[in-house]
Amino acid sequence: MRPIPLLAGLLALPTLALATTLIPHTLLQRAEQSDRIVLVQVLSQKVEETKGAAIPLKTLTRVVVGQDIRGSGPAELTVVQLGGTRGLETMEVPGDAKFHLGETAVLFLRCRLAVDRCHLVAMGQGKLEVAGEEVFVQDLFTGKWARRPLAAVIAELSPGAPAAPLPKEKR
């Protein structure tokens, strides 16, 4: 009776697809899910290949921590992401963050397996790009991007920060 396992597998596919859907998270929701929030600068990036793995490419981005905003750990760490480019082969996970050498960012990290090997919380939403003294943050109600002062974002995410007020129409 092979048709039943095959049918069960096909019926499970929509469930698996839903599990990969990216749901918008507020800054505080990302913070609650993070082991560590840091202000970093990207030092290097490399791609590792694991033959026979379901997703054989992993991108390893080495960063130096300029400031611990929440949590603590080593001064340098590696952000691990599925996919990458190796030779002519490219595997990309839609919605994940992209890193560039020398850039500065605020990262929301989950470091469950090792304190120096972390994953981004909420994929691409786990990285806030920094330009000078400003951070690019997306408003979840409007979908628009805005520049916010870096100091204000750090204060909002620091432990013991007061909860952000709800928008007036939600009260």
Side-chain angles (χ1 to χ4, degrees):
M1 306 265 350
R2 294 208 186 268
I4 292 175
L6 179 60
L7 179 62
L10 290 173
L11 292 174
L13 282 176
T15 304
L16 293 174
L18 288 175
T20 62
T21 301
L22 188 59
I23 299 169
H25 292 75
T26 65
L27 288 179
L28 293 179
Q29 286 172 327
R30 285 176 257 179
E32 289 170 358
Q33 296 175 16
S34 302
D35 297 324
R36 192 171 178 197
I37 304 172
V38 290
L39 177 65
V40 303
Q41 185 170 28
V42 176
L43 297 175
S44 65
Q45 197 169 53
K46 68 179 180 177
V47 176
E48 284 185 352
E49 184 174 5
T50 306
K51 299 270 188 214
I55 300 179
L57 299 179
K58 286 184 183 174
T59 300
L60 307 175
T61 303
R62 191 90 182 135
V63 299
V64 62
V65 176
Q67 180 178 350
D68 281 308
I69 299 169
R70 188 179 279 197
S72 63
E76 288 188 21
L77 58 93
T78 301
V79 178
V80 180
Q81 295 173 283
L82 296 177
T85 299
R86 188 169 188 106
L88 297 175
E89 183 179 14
T90 296
M91 298 184 78
E92 189 173 292
V93 177
D96 207 355
K98 295 191 184 321
F99 289 94
H100 308 284
L101 295 180
E103 82 173 311
T104 303
V106 173
L107 303 182
F108 296 80
L109 301 171
R110 192 173 291 129
C111 311
R112 300 283 160 83
L113 299 177
V115 294
D116 65 341
R117 282 181 72 90
C118 305
H119 296 88
L120 292 172
V121 169
M123 297 174 55
Q125 294 178 27
K127 174 189 172 205
L128 302 178
E129 295 183 18
V130 176
E133 292 298 316
E134 295 181 314
V135 178
F136 295 96
V137 180
Q138 187 176 23
D139 183 304
L140 297 180
F141 296 106
T142 65
K144 294 181 181 177
W145 288 88
R147 291 177 179 243
R148 292 188 47 204
L150 176 60
V153 171
I154 288 173
E156 180 180 338
L157 297 173
S158 296
L166 289 173
K168 291 179 182 171
E169 63 272 3
K170 298 287 181 180
R171 288 185 187 166

